[in-house]
């Protein structure tokens, strides 16, 4: 439970800081990571928690958003095209970081993924 407390405090600090800089990103991250943090706990039934954490990982959320965007705009795409658009979005975020000093990519890589990995460790703690 101490690890869960540390991960929730870390998540609260991250969401508070990013909300001051970029409210929409903070809201989207809070909508996806707070339910995952609430569900993550060391329990004997780890498969449900692990599946929920995989579905709420930042990469899966971006992949689902790309797929839903194209479905809602009535331009259906296949899963392979969705994967290619996901890779293109990641490449463009890296390019935006290098060209325009955008903080979104480093923030996700250096702060959000370690927080998600902390939640993953909470689920699989012995």
């Amino acid at each position: 439970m101490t690890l869960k407390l540390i991960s929730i405090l870390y998540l609260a600090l991250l969401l508070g800081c990013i909300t001051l800089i970029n409210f929409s990103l903070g809201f989207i991250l809070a909508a996806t990571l707070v339910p995952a943090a609430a569900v993550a706990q060391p329990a004997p039934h780890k498969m449900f928690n692990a599946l929920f954490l995989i579905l709420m990982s930042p990469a899966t959320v971006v992949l689902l958003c790309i797929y839903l965007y194209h479905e809602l705009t009535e331009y259906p795409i296949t899963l392979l095209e969705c994967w290619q658009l996901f890779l293109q979005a990641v490449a463009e975020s890296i390019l935006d970081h290098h060209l325009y000093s955008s903080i979104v990519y480093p923030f996700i890589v250096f702060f959000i993924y370690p927080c998600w990995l902390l939640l993953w460790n909470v689920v699989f703690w012995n």
Side-chain angles (χ1 to χ4, degrees), residues 9 18 29-30 40-41 45 47-48 58 68 75-76 85 90 92 95 98 100 104 113 115 118-119 123:
L9 289 174
I18 198 62
L29 288 174
Q41 57 185 327
H45 305 290
M47 294 309 291
F48 171 73
L68 287 176
Y75 178 68
L85 288 173
V90 170
E92 286 177 4
L95 185 65
H98 286 292
Y100 308 119
V104 175
Y113 269 121
C115 183
L118 272 174
L119 293 173
V123 169

Side-chain angles (χ1 to χ4, degrees), residues 7-106:
S7 64
I8 289 176
L9 289 174
Y10 182 63
L11 179 63
L13 180 69
L14 287 176
L15 291 177
C17 291
I18 198 62
T19 302
L20 291 174
I21 298 170
N22 188 347
F23 181 77
S24 59
L25 179 63
F27 179 75
I28 290 171
L29 288 174
T32 58
L33 287 176
V34 169
V39 170
Q41 57 185 327
H45 305 290
K46 297 177 183 182
M47 294 309 291
F48 171 73
N49 292 341
L51 181 66
F52 190 73
L53 275 176
I54 289 172
L55 289 176
M56 287 294 146
S57 72
T60 307
V61 170
V62 170
L63 193 64
L64 288 174
C65 287
I66 290 171
Y67 184 77
L68 287 176
Y69 172 76
H70 284 284
E71 285 294 323
L72 292 175
T73 57
E74 297 178 0
Y75 178 68
I77 59 174
T78 64
L79 290 177
L80 182 62
E81 291 172 337
C82 184
W83 178 252
Q84 289 173 345
L85 288 173
F86 170 74
L87 292 178
Q88 182 181 358
V90 170
E92 286 177 4
S93 69
I94 294 170
L95 185 65
D96 283 345
H97 169 64
H98 286 292
L99 290 178
Y100 308 119
S101 299
S102 173
I103 65 162
V104 175
Y105 180 74

